[in-house]
Amino acid sequence: MKQDGFTLIDVLAAVVIIGIVGVSVWKAQTVAYFTLSNALSQGWEILLSSSKIAEIDAGAERLRQGVFVLPGSLGTVGWRLEEEDGQLVMETVSQSKQQERRLRWRGFVTPVL
């Protein structure tokens, strides 16, 4: 007796495999989105921080603290200047939906580790 079609076991195995692959792809996309968002935020933070330090070094800015609002929904960056060893050091605190990050910048774009 010849039967055409798939058995119930074949269909269940295919559904399980498709489910595992689907969840893996979804997870990879989510991680990629958060990584890209973090990279964009950090790039803006570096650009704005180095620009503000250059303005202060040139004497065009007299403020010692403030807030940058990043474009889109990337968040905000609070900044504060200190002087260490005769050199300006900027501390930034960036806040976005995913995290809060604190960095210290010395000179133009060199982070203080």
Side-chain angles (χ1 to χ4, degrees):
M1 180 160 84
K2 183 178 177 186
Q3 294 180 347
D4 292 334
F6 298 104
T7 65
L8 182 59
I9 297 295
D10 293 336
V11 173
L12 288 176
V15 167
V16 166
I17 290 171
I18 290 172
I20 291 171
V21 169
V23 167
S24 299
V25 168
W26 176 76
K27 181 67 175 172
Q29 290 293 330
T30 304
V31 169
Y33 170 77
F34 286 122
T35 302
L36 177 62
S37 176
N38 187 30
L40 282 172
S41 175
Q42 191 169 8
W44 275 104
E45 184 176 346
I46 291 168
L47 178 69
L48 293 171
S49 298
S50 62
S51 174
K52 187 57 70 176
I53 288 176
E55 287 177 13
I56 291 169
D57 280 344
E61 179 70 72
R62 301 212 188 297
L63 296 175
R64 292 294 185 185
Q65 62 183 7
V67 174
F68 302 126
V69 178
L70 301 179
S73 61
L74 292 175
T76 60
V77 178
W79 61 274
R80 183 172 52 94
L81 282 173
E82 303 172 348
E83 198 164 325
E84 285 182 7
D85 302 327
Q87 205 174 24
L88 287 176
V89 176
M90 177 180 278
E91 180 178 57
T92 59
V93 179
S94 60
Q95 296 177 335
S96 63
K97 294 177 186 173
Q98 295 91 14
Q99 65 182 1
E100 177 177 303
R101 179 177 52 245
R102 292 181 177 273
L103 294 172
R104 292 175 57 82
W105 306 93
R106 180 186 310 269
F108 193 63
V109 291
T110 307
V112 178
L113 301 176

